[in-house]
Amino acid sequence: MESLHDERQRQELMRFFKTGPGEYGEGDKFLGLKVPQTRQVVKLVGRDLPLGEVPELLMSRWHEVRLCGLLIMVARFEKLATKRLMNDEHAISGRDEIMRMYLHHAEQANNWDLVDLSAPKILGTWLLLPTRLGDKQAIVDELAGSSNLWRQRMSMVCTWKTSQQGDPSWCLRYAEWHLHHPHDLMHKAVGWMLREMGKRCSMDLLRQFLDRHVHEMPRTALRYAIEKMSPDERHHWLNA
């Protein structure tokens, strides 16, 4: 991955992911790889790399190398999460091992892209499957209650997967939990997940949520939540 270094792209990524002093990605370091390049590395080496070596990637100073480690975990998890293996004891054990590793190193997913490319496919899928790790809600609540922005975003963005499968309860729980979060990145995540919940589960549920909370929602969260509504309905909620 270091051999693929691209200085011009590196500078662009550092600006895009807000790595300057006081910004949310302060100090993050980039090689200048595009996501398809990282995915190609995952395809080349991910299958044979021992899972025990993935934390070395997750602890890398390079953003793209951490992404590579996360995408290897996603690929391994998805192979163990097929319908055929849903209740297979070996698969359950393998999924739980990946989940433990993901939670242990959660703060290494320290930008929104790292969270968004991993949380729905690992944590979100895990919520839908048998596990031996204990109370699922308690585990996500611990992420939501963390003081770390990226763990908090995981608790919200993971609900994309549960909503896709027709379960709105996770989204509604953590949208309310994070409704008054001070950071714009969480406002965007809350609104985005509400929009997806409405699209995948029930627009009536989304409207009920808005009825209860529209007067206290951050403007950004509201705009994201109503993005796919008709112009007239968007106007109604924005003026509520």
Side-chain angles (χ1 to χ4, degrees):
M1 295 188 76
E2 289 180 349
S3 73
L4 299 173
H5 175 275
D6 183 323
E7 181 60 25
R8 183 185 62 81
Q9 179 74 6
R10 186 181 78 86
Q11 294 293 336
E12 290 182 9
L13 290 171
M14 288 176 66
R15 285 192 294 272
F16 183 73
F17 286 108
K18 308 294 185 184
T19 63
E23 295 181 309
Y24 60 75
E26 180 177 358
D28 204 354
K29 298 183 183 300
F30 287 80
L31 290 167
L33 278 65
K34 296 181 178 179
V35 173
Q37 290 177 287
T38 301
R39 290 192 183 280
Q40 187 62 29
V41 174
V42 172
K43 186 180 292 185
L44 288 171
V45 305
R47 184 177 62 182
D48 299 321
L49 187 75
L51 186 63
E53 293 186 23
V54 170
E56 186 174 347
L57 303 178
L58 300 179
M59 297 303 295
S60 172
R61 61 176 177 158
W62 300 115
H63 184 104
E64 297 94 335
V65 176
R66 297 197 301 280
L67 175 59
C68 182
L70 291 166
L71 292 179
I72 288 172
M73 294 170 70
V74 167
R76 298 282 180 86
F77 194 93
E78 287 180 333
K79 286 185 177 179
L80 296 170
T82 62
K83 187 174 182 179
R84 181 177 64 85
L85 295 175
M86 181 182 299
N87 296 299
D88 180 86
E89 286 296 330
H90 179 73
I92 292 172
S93 177
R95 294 194 302 261
D96 285 352
E97 181 182 6
I98 294 170
M99 262 296 296
R100 279 192 293 266
M101 182 179 291
Y102 186 67
L103 294 171
H104 183 72
H105 295 282
E107 291 177 25
Q108 296 305 114
N110 59 344
N111 216 313
W112 59 264
D113 64 316
L114 303 180
V115 172
D116 296 358
L117 289 170
S118 62
K121 293 184 176 180
I122 296 177
L123 178 56
T125 303
W126 173 80
L127 292 176
L128 299 164
L129 298 170
T131 181
R132 304 289 180 262
L133 290 184
D135 187 338
K136 294 177 180 178
Q137 184 173 293
I139 288 172
V140 185
D141 281 359
E142 186 172 346
L143 291 170
S146 167
S147 61
N148 179 268
L149 173 63
W150 310 115
R151 289 180 180 268
Q152 293 166 350
R153 189 173 171 99
M154 284 178 179
S155 72
M156 190 70 248
V157 175
C158 75
T159 69
W160 192 6
K161 191 68 175 182
T162 51
S163 291
Q164 283 179 339
Q165 298 302 311
D167 182 354
S169 62
W170 296 94
C171 175
L172 294 171
R173 176 178 179 81
Y174 296 107
E176 287 195 333
W177 188 305
H178 295 301
L179 196 62
H180 300 108
H181 197 284
H183 204 293
D184 184 64
L185 282 175
M186 288 303 295
H187 302 170
K188 292 176 179 178
V190 168
W192 172 29
M193 291 301 104
L194 285 170
R195 184 186 73 219
E196 292 301 309
M197 184 279 298
K199 183 170 68 175
R200 302 284 185 169
C201 299
S202 168
M203 289 300 293
D204 285 340
L205 279 177
L206 174 55
R207 293 183 181 103
Q208 290 168 23
F209 184 93
L210 294 176
D211 275 332
R212 291 194 303 274
H213 298 294
V214 67
H215 303 295
E216 57 181 332
M217 286 181 73
R219 195 73 164 177
T220 298
L222 177 59
R223 286 188 178 276
Y224 271 62
I226 65 177
E227 187 177 18
K228 298 301 182 181
M229 293 180 176
S230 69
D232 286 346
E233 188 167 10
R234 289 201 305 272
H235 181 78
H236 163 75
W237 291 116
L238 287 170
N239 287 279

